[in-house]
Amino acid sequence: MHRIEVMQADIVTLRVDAIVNAANTSLLGGGGVDGAIHRAAGPELLAECRTLGGCPTGQARITKAYRLPAKHVIHTVGPIYRDGRHDEPTLLASCYRQSLALAVEYQSRTIAFPAISCGVYGYPIPDAARIAIRETADFLAGEANLDRVVFACFGTEVLSAFQTALDERRQSD
Ligand code: AR6
């Protein structure tokens, strides 16, 4: 659990091996964190994304990070929240698992996540935070090759939800 860190940060500034992008199925950019990552990485990122042919919800793809301080960008597509009964929790959990697995496959030792689906995709933030922490803690329990997983939270609501989810998990372990 000591390998998980929750902080308030703009993900594009973080010097980690991989940052995760909350993308859409086209992988061709958008608003929110996706827009910020593409702006900071430069047009080469979009050019590489065009070669990928999109990505289904719940899955992840990896590219180089170009002008970002990170080495890779892992693009994952979170679910659009409807009512919680349309596989949203399973799909969101899958985003975290697939992103972490890709990071390890590409020898990343440090990775930063934004709060996937917690912006325009409308996922209730406390529920999304619990899923993110659960999947990450479970993954790390079986994986020694990751040193640090950062949750880069934008805004105090997201920050406190992730902090609470992390505290709850620590108490239950
Ligand atoms: N660093 C860290 N977190 C950020 C940053 C940043 N620079 N900018 C925003 N956030 P969202 P989604 C937070 O809407 O809900 C895009 O258009 C933000 O405050 O970026 O998964 C894609 O192309 C929120 O807490 O992603 C898709 O179409 C969290 O990141 C769609 O939005 C996620 O918000 C994906 O929606």
Side-chain angles (χ1 to χ4, degrees), residues 20-121:
V20 177
N21 182 16
N24 58 62
T25 54
S26 78
L27 297 185
L28 298 180
V33 72
D34 195 6
I37 288 172
H38 276 274
R39 273 194 301 280
E44 299 94 336
L45 179 61
L46 181 59
E48 185 175 355
C49 284
R50 281 192 201 287
T51 69
L52 298 177
C55 177
T57 303
Q59 294 190 22
R61 301 286 185 269
I62 193 164
T63 64
K64 291 187 272 184
Y66 301 98
R67 300 175 202 179
L68 290 163
K71 295 181 191 134
H72 289 102
V73 179
I74 293 169
H75 307 261
T76 191
V77 183
I80 299 171
Y81 191 84
R82 287 164 71 185
D83 55 7
R85 295 184 199 161
H86 289 82
D87 259 356
E88 297 96 327
T90 309
L91 290 165
L92 186 62
S94 171
C95 289
Y96 283 98
R97 279 200 306 274
Q98 290 212 5
S99 298
L100 290 162
L102 260 183
V104 171
E105 189 183 331
Y106 282 77
Q107 279 87 43
S108 304
R109 300 211 61 106
T110 54
I111 180 172
F113 282 97
I116 299 163
S117 286
C118 290
V120 300
Y121 281 2

